[in-house]
Amino acid sequence: MYLEIVSTEATLFSNEVDSVVVPGVNGEFEMLKNHAPIVSLLKEGTIKIHTHTQSHLVFDELPAEVHKHLDDDKTFLLKIKSGTIEMKDNKVIILAD
């Protein structure tokens, strides 16, 4: 599935991923390929991006806001204050603050 994370200043992440975990207002939830369409609000927390089968992702090309997980070279973390998420047709768009 394709994940795009955008802030008011820039595109923070744009690539194929295996899954993404987000801090929803009613609790953390994960989306995988072929997840049902969804629109939801996000609260302050951490977005966890899992790219375990995506070998083409180059960490050095990611913005400074995206951090590599210390124990896992294929998991990336991004802290947000709030946001909105939409998933439709295997494309996830997150508008983050």
Side-chain angles (χ1 to χ4, degrees):
M1 85 182 156
Y2 195 81
L3 172 64
E4 187 171 10
I5 303 175
V6 234
S7 73
T8 54
E9 293 85 28
T11 298
L12 303 175
F13 188 92
S14 183
N15 214 313
E16 287 288 327
V17 299
D18 294 320
S19 68
V20 60
V21 179
V22 294
V25 292
N26 293 320
E28 188 175 82
F29 63 95
E30 180 175 23
M31 287 174 293
L32 303 165
K33 186 176 181 180
N34 296 323
H35 192 285
I38 186 172
V39 174
S40 181
L41 295 175
L42 303 177
K43 65 179 184 177
E44 185 171 357
T46 302
I47 297 172
K48 297 173 189 127
I49 304 161
H50 300 280
T51 62
H52 296 289
T53 61
Q54 308 301 328
S55 59
H56 61 277
L57 185 61
V58 179
F59 179 71
D60 295 337
E61 296 175 1
L62 295 175
E65 295 89 355
V66 178
H67 302 281
K68 193 184 302 187
H69 190 276
L70 294 177
D71 299 328
D72 184 354
D73 286 345
K74 301 275 184 167
T75 299
F76 301 91
L77 306 174
L78 173 65
K79 291 190 182 285
I80 62 168
K81 293 180 183 171
S82 65
T84 305
I85 186 168
E86 177 184 13
M87 168 130 185
K88 183 179 178 186
D89 299 327
N90 284 320
K91 182 172 183 182
V92 179
I93 300 172
I94 298 176
L95 305 174
D97 293 329

